[in-house]
Amino acid sequence: MGLTVDLVADLGEGFGAYSMGDDAALLEVVSSANIACGFHAGDPDIMHATVAECVRRGVSIGAHPSFPDLRGFGRRAMDLTADEVRNDVLYQFGALNAFAAYHGTTVAHIAPHGRLGNLVATRRDYAAAVADAAARLNPGLIVLAQDGELADAAAERQVPVGIVGIADRAYEADGTLVPRGRPGAVIHDPAAIVERTVRMVCEGLIETVAGTDLPIVADTVLLHGDTPGAVQLARQVRAELENAGVTIAPLAQVLAAKEAKGKVA
């Protein structure tokens, strides 16, 4: 049984007349989409159009909830309680779920965005808030997360977990991402990103800023679409993974294949 991985990108991150990234081009590459739900980006028209295009192309849909930080694109810390985090996640999921239902589909996964996404990896209260929301919304809803508190909290609640690998971000030795404000936090060399992605998926390792190899599980690889040359890089990543014998499939299929492989082993 060969390797299978999901490719996911953050989509629908415009607002009103403003757009970010080339969603149409990325939808030719990815198997899943994290769709902005209005708190850091996205609006009703953009959510409607993005969901419709995902359905047309057979791309799996995921909710991408954020702190209520439209001005800061969800990348600023906010002093919210765990209850507020849970309720904000429920609100955003509900908005996207309505568009999914309208287009005859469902939301397959949930992936916290930006600063919230970073904090749920380390803050037990925030992780529990998101995991509780997911478990009550749909026990089969996949929680997309880095290794850390959110992945643990979801597993404790028997909610399926997809571990995300981010090849264009630098990793600390403890497995957390280097904060964006630090030099070298974002990797820009296309060759390095492609090499890190293939190694992460095929060998289960990624090099940290300390120069050590970190064991990493990557059920899905996040492709960023808001940087120069991002679409070409995404195409190259997919091509090199396929050249290495990796099958690209939506996250639910990846987890099903992983479970089947575990039973065979």
Side-chain angles (χ1 to χ4, degrees), residues 230-263:
V231 172
Q232 180 57 37
L233 175 59
R235 290 173 176 151
Q236 189 176 355
V237 165
R238 176 163 185 151
E240 290 302 319
L241 284 170
E242 291 177 332
N243 287 341
V246 178
T247 299
I248 309 302
L251 187 55
Q253 292 182 34
V254 172
L255 296 184
K258 187 177 178 180
E259 182 178 3
K261 188 174 182 179
K263 289 179 179 178

Side-chain angles (χ1 to χ4, degrees), residues 29-57:
V29 180
V30 300
S31 43
S32 294
N34 297 329
I35 301 178
C37 304
F39 273 29
H40 76 280
D43 61 38
D45 293 333
I46 290 174
M47 282 190 276
H48 172 86
T50 305
V51 170
E53 194 63 12
C54 285
V55 170
R56 188 178 78 81
R57 293 173 181 262

Side-chain angles (χ1 to χ4, degrees), residues 116-220:
L116 176 60
N118 292 336
L119 288 174
V120 292
T122 58
R123 279 191 59 163
R124 183 177 294 271
D125 58 340
Y126 280 9
V130 174
D132 284 341
R136 294 289 291 272
L137 285 165
N138 174 6
L141 180 67
I142 301 168
V143 170
L144 196 158
Q146 298 168 242
D147 273 321
E149 293 289 349
L150 178 56
D152 293 344
E156 288 168 5
R157 290 157 178 77
Q158 298 184 315
V159 174
V161 178
I163 300 297
V164 59
I166 311 175
D168 66 351
R169 290 293 305 276
Y171 280 76
E172 301 279 14
D174 65 358
T176 60
L177 297 179
V178 174
R180 280 183 175 270
R182 280 175 46 189
V186 180
I187 298 165
H188 299 286
D189 180 5
I193 294 170
V194 172
E195 187 275 334
R196 285 166 66 85
T197 302
V198 173
R199 188 166 186 247
M200 180 170 58
V201 174
C202 296
E203 299 179 31
L205 296 170
I206 196 165
E207 185 177 357
T208 70
V209 290
T212 57
D213 281 341
L214 175 74
I216 185 171
V217 174
D219 299 312
T220 183

